[in-house]
């Protein structure tokens, strides 16, 4: 009788253990969205990326391998030290499995280093530097959405081809700005163009007058804005006050998205050439996704938010494919699995962690060309992913077998 009771108790105990316990280390999958939610990039990604991540988890069914999916977020304020502290706390005490979005290149590089140390997956959609899949690549690091090389090929290539063969850069004074200026400079000169100068400005500065005057006096045909978010928007506004475009020079918004066009307005943004890797009005599938996101947030997604949705979904698919949340196995699945969704059509992940997907050269419509709210772009060209991104073998990533 005593033996029967022991056996019965053991069987009862076995029945209350969640089915996922053998596959999911702590019984749940926890994803952290770490980005700027209050500064110059708050619209660029911000709380809208958090909503995209939650939407992806819900569309996946709220569970993976029978374990619940939890998505949390925090504001890193564009400061690598704050981001690093949050990342360590999330990994060490809050059982976060993966950190994603990571607007601001200096932040992304810092958090990717911590993720590599902790053997955790990070997936970057908000930062631009190609170093994330170059010399500072990680076996657990993935870079979705875009990077400085793709922006240089898209926007830089288009403007040089249109006769913009002399450039002056107005550059954000941190890793992202340096990388964007460097990549664009290399591409411009490779196409026969010339760099006549550059000036660096602090992140989130409010007065661009001295910088714009230097750019104006350079005589360059193109002023490359190697910045993003409100920095780019404010520079464009102040450039109009100086009559720079009216005087015959062109502005190249090297990283400008639908969110910033919306904030700036078509009157000020019209005619800008820019590069994004997603546009909600591209086809029926993207329009359906855009409507669903709009119904949830009151705005259409830019490439950062669409890529966050894609990245979260692919991460969950990789856990499902691997049959576990073990980092090594999930990372292997992330590299092996193709990406074919509303963001990346027929895309693939390179050996260096770079998602290789098409990017689109856009021109911002004139106000009288826009037929509806958020109808802001004309798609000028599609740049195949293989042309837009550095080949993994040429990236400088030591994970790539030569």
């Amino acid at each position: 009788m005593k033996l029967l009771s022991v056996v019965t108790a053991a069987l009862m105990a076995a029945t209350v253990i969640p089915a996922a316990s053998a596959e999911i280390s702590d019984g749940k999958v926890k994803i952290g969205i770490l980005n700027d939610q209050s500064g110059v990039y708050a619209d660029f990604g911000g709380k809208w990326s958090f909503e995209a991540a939650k939407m992806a988890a819900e569309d996946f069914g709220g569970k993976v391998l029978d374990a619940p999916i939890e998505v949390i977020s925090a504001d890193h304020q564009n400061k690598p030290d704050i981001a690093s502290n949050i990342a360590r706390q999330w990994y060490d005490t809050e059982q976060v499995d993966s950190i994603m979005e990571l607007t601001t290149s200096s932040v992304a590089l810092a958090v990717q280093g911590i993720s590599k140390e902790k053997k955790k997956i990070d997936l970057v959609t908000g930062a631009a530097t190609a170093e994330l899949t170059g010399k500072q690549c990680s076996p657990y690091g993935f870079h979705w959405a875009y990077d400085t090389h793709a922006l240089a090929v898209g926007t830089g290539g288009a403007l040089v081809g249109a006769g913009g063969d002399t450039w002056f850069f107005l550059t954000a004074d941190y890793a992202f700005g340096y990388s964007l200026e460097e990549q664009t400079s290399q591409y411009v000169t490779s196409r026969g163009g010339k760099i006549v100068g550059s000036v660096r400005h602090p992140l989130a500065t409010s007065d661009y007058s001295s910088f714009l005057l230097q750019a104006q006096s350079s005589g360059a045909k193109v002023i490359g804005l190697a910045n993003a978010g409100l920095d780019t928007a404010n520079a464009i506004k102040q450039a109009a006050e100086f009559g720079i475009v009216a005087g015959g020079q062109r502005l190249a918004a090297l990283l400008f998205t639908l969110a910033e066009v919306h904030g700036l307005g078509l009157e000020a943004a019209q005619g800008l050439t820019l590069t994004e890797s997603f546009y909600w009005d591209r086809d029926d599938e993207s329009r359906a996704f855009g409507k669903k996101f709009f119904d949830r947030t009151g705005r259409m997604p830019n490439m950062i938010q669409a890529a966050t949705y894609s990245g979260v979904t692919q991460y969950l698919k990789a856990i499902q494919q691997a049959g576990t949340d073990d980092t090594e196995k999930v990372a292997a699945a992330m590299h092996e699995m193709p990406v074919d969704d509303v963001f990346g059509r027929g895309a693939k992940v390179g050996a260096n962690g770079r998602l290789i997907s098409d990017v689109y050269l856009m021109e911002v419509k004139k106000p009288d060309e826009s037929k509806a709210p958020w109808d802001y772009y004309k798609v000028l060209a599609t740049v195949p992913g293989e042309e837009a991104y550095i080949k993994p073998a040429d990236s400088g990533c030591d994970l790539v077998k030569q």
Side-chain angles (χ1 to χ4, degrees), residues 73-271:
S73 75
D75 182 355
H76 60 47
Q77 302 173 49
N78 295 311
K79 297 178 180 177
D81 56 339
I82 291 176
S84 296
N85 289 337
I86 293 170
R88 289 188 184 279
Q89 180 181 335
W90 276 1
Y91 286 148
D92 293 343
T93 66
E94 297 188 30
Q95 297 180 310
V96 168
D97 298 290
S98 176
I99 297 178
M100 301 191 187
E101 218 270 36
L102 294 168
T103 311
T104 315
S105 292
S106 52
V107 163
L109 289 167
V111 173
Q112 179 154 291
I114 293 169
S115 301
K116 183 177 181 180
E117 171 196 331
K118 301 288 185 181
K119 293 189 176 181
K120 297 283 190 177
I121 286 173
D122 71 280
L123 191 149
V124 178
T125 59
T129 179
E131 284 298 291
L132 287 160
T133 51
K135 293 180 180 178
Q136 299 195 50
C137 67
S138 162
Y140 318 117
F142 298 88
H143 199 180
W144 246 239
Y146 70 103
D147 67 17
T148 47
H149 189 269
L151 299 175
V153 171
T155 308
L159 290 174
V160 174
D165 56 2
T166 56
W167 285 61
F168 184 99
F169 288 94
L170 198 158
T171 302
D173 193 10
Y174 74 104
F176 150 68
Y178 312 152
S179 181
L180 186 51
E181 179 186 332
E182 179 186 9
Q183 295 283 343
T184 307
S185 296
Q186 290 175 355
Y187 196 76
V188 167
T189 54
S190 75
R191 299 286 297 273
K194 182 180 179 182
I195 311 304
V196 300
S198 67
V199 64
R200 293 176 175 178
H201 69 81
L203 178 67
T205 192
S206 58
D207 184 1
Y208 292 85
S209 57
S210 65
F211 310 121
L212 288 167
L213 284 170
Q214 291 181 61
Q216 189 176 39
S217 64
S218 74
K221 293 178 183 178
V222 179
I223 299 172
L225 302 177
N227 48 22
L230 286 178
D231 278 338
T232 305
N234 288 333
I236 291 170
K237 287 179 185 176
Q238 292 177 37
E241 295 170 8
F242 284 99
I244 287 177
V245 175
Q249 291 174 295
R250 298 192 66 173
L251 295 179
L254 294 171
L255 177 50
F256 210 53
T257 78
L258 193 75
E260 290 77 55
V261 171
H262 181 72
L264 188 59
L266 288 183
E267 190 64 40
Q270 61 182 304

